[in-house]
């Protein structure tokens, strides 16, 4: 009787140790891939919500220009480019590319 209780306890401990590598992989995946991507998306949304007229931006398709009009009702912006004015969704404006396009701040 004591032997069967001991064997049951050791088998449950064994299953836990066999699951440990999978749990570690999930944690690593979360902290190195999923969490940084979520933070990047939050920053992108904050940037897109805070754009103003006159801001120089680059769209995700690579079009450079200056924002001339913001339409909050349908979530679009009008960007003046060398070819004229083009209407884009706010989501098409890239934070990463637009940061490089902004003039450097003097300290």
């Amino acid at each position: 009787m004591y032997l069967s209780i001991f064997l049951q306890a050791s088998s449950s401990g064994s299953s836990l140790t066999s699951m440990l590598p999978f749990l570690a992989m999930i944690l690593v995946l979360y902290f190195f891939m999923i969490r940084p991507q979520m933070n990047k998306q939050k920053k992108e949304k904050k940037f897109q919500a805070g754009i103003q007229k006159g801001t120089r931006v680059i769209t995700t398709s690579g079009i450079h220009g200056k924002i001339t009009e913001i339409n909050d009702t349908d979530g679009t912006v009008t960007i003046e480019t060398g070819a004229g004015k083009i209407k884009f969704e706010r989501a098409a404006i890239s934070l990463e590319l637009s940061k490089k396009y902004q003039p450097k701040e003097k300290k």
Side-chain angles (χ1 to χ4, degrees):
M1 181 173 163
Y2 294 113
L3 183 60
S4 66
I5 293 172
F6 178 72
L7 291 174
Q8 288 175 353
S10 68
S11 68
S12 66
S14 175
S15 66
L16 180 64
T17 55
S18 67
M19 292 292 289
L20 198 58
F22 295 113
L23 294 173
M25 279 190 339
I26 291 171
L27 283 173
V28 167
L29 183 71
Y30 175 77
F31 282 109
F32 287 107
M33 295 182 76
I34 297 170
R35 191 166 178 238
Q37 185 65 28
M38 289 174 21
N39 288 339
K40 183 179 176 184
Q41 287 175 345
K42 284 181 187 176
K43 287 179 186 177
E44 190 93 24
K45 292 265 187 211
K46 185 177 177 183
F47 170 75
Q48 290 168 356
I51 58 175
Q52 301 173 357
K53 288 183 182 179
T55 305
R56 300 183 73 70
V57 294
I58 302 175
T59 65
T60 54
S61 59
I63 297 175
H64 296 234
K66 183 171 32 171
I67 296 177
T68 58
E69 185 180 326
I70 298 173
N71 190 346
D72 288 326
T73 57
D74 63 353
T76 60
V77 295
T78 304
I79 298 176
E80 184 178 356
T81 65
K85 293 184 179 182
I86 305 173
K87 192 173 190 177
F88 284 96
E89 293 289 325
R90 277 185 184 232
I93 298 173
S94 171
L95 166 68
E96 209 171 297
L97 296 173
S98 295
K99 273 185 169 180
K100 295 176 185 175
Y101 196 45
Q102 299 300 324
K104 301 285 184 195
E105 293 181 11
K106 294 183 180 178
K107 293 182 181 182

